[in-house]
Coordinates of all heavy atoms in Angstrom, one line a residue:
S64 N -71.4 168.3 73.3 CA -71.4 167.6 74.5 C -70.0 167.2 75.0 O -69.8 166.9 76.2 CB -72.2 166.3 74.4 OG -71.7 165.5 73.4
S65 N -69.0 167.2 74.1 CA -67.7 166.7 74.5 C -66.8 167.9 74.9 O -65.6 167.7 75.2 CB -67.0 166.0 73.3 OG -66.9 166.8 72.2
V66 N -67.3 169.1 74.9 CA -66.5 170.2 75.3 C -66.4 170.4 76.8 O -67.3 170.2 77.5 CB -67.1 171.6 74.7 CG1 -66.3 172.8 75.2 CG2 -67.1 171.5 73.2
S67 N -65.2 170.6 77.3 CA -64.9 170.8 78.7 C -64.9 172.3 78.9 O -63.8 172.9 78.7 CB -63.6 170.2 79.1 OG -63.4 170.5 80.5
W68 N -66.0 173.0 79.2 CA -66.1 174.4 79.3 C -65.2 174.9 80.4 O -65.2 174.4 81.5 CB -67.5 174.9 79.5 CG -68.4 174.5 78.4 CD1 -69.4 173.5 78.5 CD2 -68.5 175.0 77.1 NE1 -70.0 173.5 77.2 CE2 -69.5 174.3 76.4 CE3 -67.7 176.0 76.4 CZ2 -69.8 174.6 75.1 CZ3 -68.0 176.2 75.1 CH2 -69.0 175.6 74.4
Q69 N -64.4 176.0 80.1 CA -63.5 176.5 81.1 C -63.7 178.0 81.3 O -63.4 178.5 82.4 CB -62.0 176.3 80.6 CG -61.7 174.8 80.5 CD -60.4 174.6 79.9 OE1 -59.7 175.5 79.5 NE2 -60.0 173.3 79.8
S70 N -64.1 178.8 80.3 CA -64.2 180.2 80.5 C -65.2 180.8 79.5 O -65.5 180.2 78.4 CB -62.8 180.8 80.4 OG -62.4 180.7 79.0
R71 N -65.5 182.1 79.7 CA -66.3 182.9 78.8 C -65.6 183.0 77.5 O -66.2 182.9 76.4 CB -66.5 184.2 79.4 CG -67.2 185.2 78.5 CD -67.3 186.6 79.2 NE -67.7 187.6 78.3 CZ -66.9 188.3 77.4 NH1 -65.6 188.1 77.4 NH2 -67.4 189.2 76.6
A72 N -64.3 183.2 77.5 CA -63.5 183.4 76.3 C -63.5 182.1 75.4 O -63.7 182.2 74.2 CB -62.0 183.8 76.6
Q73 N -63.4 181.0 76.1 CA -63.5 179.7 75.3 C -64.9 179.6 74.7 O -65.0 179.2 73.5 CB -63.2 178.5 76.2 CG -63.3 177.2 75.5 CD -63.6 176.0 76.5 OE1 -64.1 176.2 77.6 NE2 -63.2 174.9 76.0
F74 N -65.9 179.9 75.4 CA -67.3 179.9 74.9 C -67.5 180.8 73.7 O -68.0 180.4 72.7 CB -68.3 180.2 76.0 CG -69.7 180.2 75.6 CD1 -70.4 179.0 75.6 CD2 -70.4 181.3 75.2 CE1 -71.7 178.9 75.2 CE2 -71.7 181.3 74.9 CZ -72.4 180.1 74.8
L75 N -66.9 182.0 73.8 CA -67.0 182.9 72.7 C -66.2 182.5 71.5 O -66.6 182.7 70.4 CB -66.6 184.3 73.2 CG -67.6 185.0 74.1 CD1 -67.1 186.4 74.6 CD2 -69.0 185.2 73.5
A76 N -65.1 181.8 71.8 CA -64.2 181.3 70.7 C -65.0 180.3 69.9 O -65.0 180.3 68.7 CB -62.9 180.8 71.3
L77 N -65.6 179.4 70.6 CA -66.4 178.4 69.9 C -67.6 179.0 69.2 O -67.9 178.6 68.0 CB -66.9 177.3 70.8 CG -67.6 176.1 70.2 CD1 -66.8 175.5 69.1 CD2 -68.0 175.1 71.3
S78 N -68.2 180.0 69.8 CA -69.3 180.7 69.1 C -68.8 181.4 67.8 O -69.5 181.3 66.8 CB -69.8 181.8 70.1 OG -70.4 181.2 71.2
A79 N -67.6 181.9 67.9 CA -67.0 182.6 66.7 C -66.9 181.6 65.6 O -67.2 181.9 64.4 CB -65.7 183.2 67.0
T80 N -66.4 180.4 65.9 CA -66.2 179.4 64.9 C -67.5 179.0 64.3 O -67.6 178.8 63.1 CB -65.5 178.1 65.5 OG1 -64.2 178.6 66.0 CG2 -65.3 177.0 64.5
L81 N -68.5 178.8 65.1 CA -69.8 178.4 64.6 C -70.5 179.4 63.8 O -71.1 179.1 62.8 CB -70.7 178.0 65.8 CG -70.3 176.7 66.6 CD1 -71.1 176.5 67.8 CD2 -70.3 175.5 65.7
I82 N -70.4 180.7 64.2 CA -71.0 181.8 63.4 C -70.3 181.9 62.1 O -71.0 182.0 61.0 CB -70.9 183.1 64.2 CG1 -71.9 183.1 65.3 CG2 -71.1 184.3 63.2 CD1 -71.7 184.3 66.3
R83 N -69.0 181.7 62.0 CA -68.2 181.7 60.8 C -68.8 180.6 59.9 O -69.1 180.8 58.7 CB -66.7 181.5 61.0 CG -65.9 181.4 59.7 CD -64.5 181.2 60.0 NE -63.7 181.0 58.8 CZ -62.5 180.5 58.7 NH1 -61.9 180.2 59.8 NH2 -61.9 180.3 57.6
R84 N -68.9 179.4 60.4 CA -69.4 178.2 59.6 C -70.8 178.4 59.1 O -71.1 178.1 58.0 CB -69.3 176.9 60.5 CG -67.9 176.5 60.7 CD -67.9 175.2 61.5 NE -66.5 174.9 61.9 CZ -66.2 174.1 62.8 NH1 -67.1 173.5 63.6 NH2 -64.9 173.8 63.1
I85 N -71.6 179.0 59.9 CA -73.0 179.2 59.5 C -73.1 180.2 58.4 O -73.7 180.0 57.4 CB -73.9 179.7 60.7 CG1 -74.1 178.5 61.7 CG2 -75.3 180.2 60.2 CD1 -74.6 179.0 63.1
L86 N -72.4 181.3 58.5 CA -72.3 182.3 57.5 C -71.7 181.8 56.2 O -72.2 182.0 55.1 CB -71.6 183.6 57.9 CG -72.3 184.4 59.0 CD1 -71.4 185.5 59.5 CD2 -73.6 184.9 58.5
L87 N -70.7 181.0 56.3 CA -70.1 180.4 55.1 C -71.0 179.4 54.4 O -71.1 179.3 53.2 CB -68.7 179.7 55.5 CG -67.6 180.7 55.8 CD1 -66.4 179.9 56.4 CD2 -67.2 181.5 54.6
D88 N -71.6 178.5 55.2 CA -72.6 177.6 54.7 C -73.7 178.3 53.9 O -74.1 177.8 52.8 CB -73.2 176.7 55.8 CG -72.2 175.7 56.3 OD1 -71.1 175.5 55.7 OD2 -72.5 175.1 57.4
R89 N -74.2 179.3 54.5 CA -75.3 180.1 53.8 C -74.7 180.7 52.5 O -75.4 180.7 51.5 CB -75.9 181.1 54.7 CG -76.7 180.5 55.8 CD -77.4 181.5 56.6 NE -78.4 180.9 57.4 CZ -79.7 180.7 57.1 NH1 -80.2 181.2 55.9 NH2 -80.6 180.1 57.9
A90 N -73.5 181.3 52.6 CA -73.0 181.9 51.4 C -72.8 180.8 50.3 O -73.1 181.1 49.1 CB -71.6 182.6 51.7
K91 N -72.3 179.7 50.7 CA -72.0 178.6 49.7 C -73.4 178.1 49.1 O -73.5 177.8 48.0 CB -71.3 177.5 50.3 CG -69.8 177.8 50.6 CD -69.1 176.7 51.4 CE -67.7 177.1 51.7 NZ -67.0 176.2 52.6
S92 N -74.4 178.0 50.0 CA -75.7 177.5 49.5 C -76.4 178.4 48.5 O -77.2 178.0 47.8 CB -76.6 177.2 50.7 OG -77.0 178.4 51.3
R93 N -76.0 179.7 48.5 CA -76.6 180.6 47.6 C -75.9 180.4 46.2 O -76.2 181.2 45.3 CB -76.4 182.0 48.1 CG -77.3 182.4 49.2 CD -77.4 183.8 49.6 NE -76.1 184.4 49.8 CZ -75.5 184.6 51.0 NH1 -76.2 184.2 52.1 NH2 -74.4 185.2 51.2
G94 N -75.0 179.5 46.1 CA -74.4 179.2 44.8 C -73.4 180.2 44.3 O -73.1 180.3 43.1
R95 N -72.8 180.9 45.2 CA -71.8 181.9 44.8 C -70.5 181.2 44.5 O -70.2 180.2 45.1 CB -71.6 182.9 46.0 CG -72.9 183.6 46.2 CD -72.9 184.3 47.5 NE -72.1 185.5 47.3 CZ -71.7 186.2 48.4 NH1 -72.1 186.0 49.5 NH2 -70.9 187.2 48.2
S96 N -69.7 181.8 43.7 CA -68.4 181.2 43.3 C -67.5 181.4 44.5 O -67.7 182.2 45.4 CB -67.9 181.9 42.1 OG -67.6 183.3 42.3
K97 N -66.3 180.7 44.4 CA -65.4 180.7 45.5 C -64.9 182.1 45.8 O -64.8 182.5 47.0 CB -64.2 179.8 45.2 CG -63.2 179.7 46.3 CD -62.1 178.8 46.1 CE -61.2 178.7 47.3 NZ -60.1 177.7 47.1
R98 N -64.7 182.9 44.8 CA -64.2 184.3 45.1 C -65.4 185.3 45.2 O -65.2 186.4 45.5 CB -63.3 184.8 43.9 CG -62.0 184.1 44.0 CD -61.3 184.6 45.2 NE -60.0 183.9 45.4 CZ -59.3 183.9 46.5 NH1 -59.8 184.5 47.5 NH2 -58.2 183.2 46.6
G99 N -66.6 184.8 45.0 CA -67.8 185.6 45.1 C -68.0 186.5 43.9 O -67.2 186.7 43.1
S100 N -69.3 187.0 43.8 CA -69.7 187.8 42.7 C -69.6 189.2 43.0 O -69.9 190.1 42.2 CB -71.1 187.4 42.3 OG -72.0 187.7 43.4
G101 N -69.2 189.6 44.2 CA -69.1 191.0 44.6 C -70.4 191.6 44.9 O -70.5 192.8 45.2
K102 N -71.5 190.8 45.0 CA -72.8 191.4 45.2 C -73.1 191.7 46.7 O -73.9 192.5 47.0 CB -73.9 190.5 44.7 CG -73.9 190.4 43.2 CD -75.0 189.4 42.8 CE -74.9 189.3 41.3 NZ -75.9 188.3 40.8
R103 N -72.4 190.9 47.6 CA -72.7 191.1 49.0 C -71.3 191.2 49.8 O -71.0 190.3 50.5 CB -73.5 189.9 49.5 CG -74.9 189.9 48.9 CD -75.6 188.8 49.5 NE -75.5 188.8 50.9 CZ -76.5 188.9 51.8 NH1 -77.7 189.0 51.3 NH2 -76.3 188.9 53.0
P104 N -70.6 192.3 49.7 CA -69.3 192.4 50.4 C -69.6 192.5 51.9 O -70.6 193.0 52.3 CB -68.7 193.7 49.8 CG -69.9 194.5 49.3 CD -70.9 193.5 48.9

Side-chain angles (χ1 to χ4, degrees):
S64 59
S65 63
V66 176
S67 174
W68 298 110
Q69 298 172 0
S70 68
R71 172 186 173 273
Q73 179 202 25
F74 181 82
L75 290 175
L77 183 55
S78 299
T80 300
L81 293 173
I82 287 172
R83 176 183 175 194
R84 287 181 188 160
I85 292 165
L86 291 173
L87 289 170
D88 287 347
R89 286 186 170 266
K91 289 175 184 175
S92 72
R93 287 191 305 266
R95 298 167 71 191
S96 66
K97 185 173 182 179
R98 289 292 173 195
S100 62
K102 292 181 184 173
R103 294 180 50 117

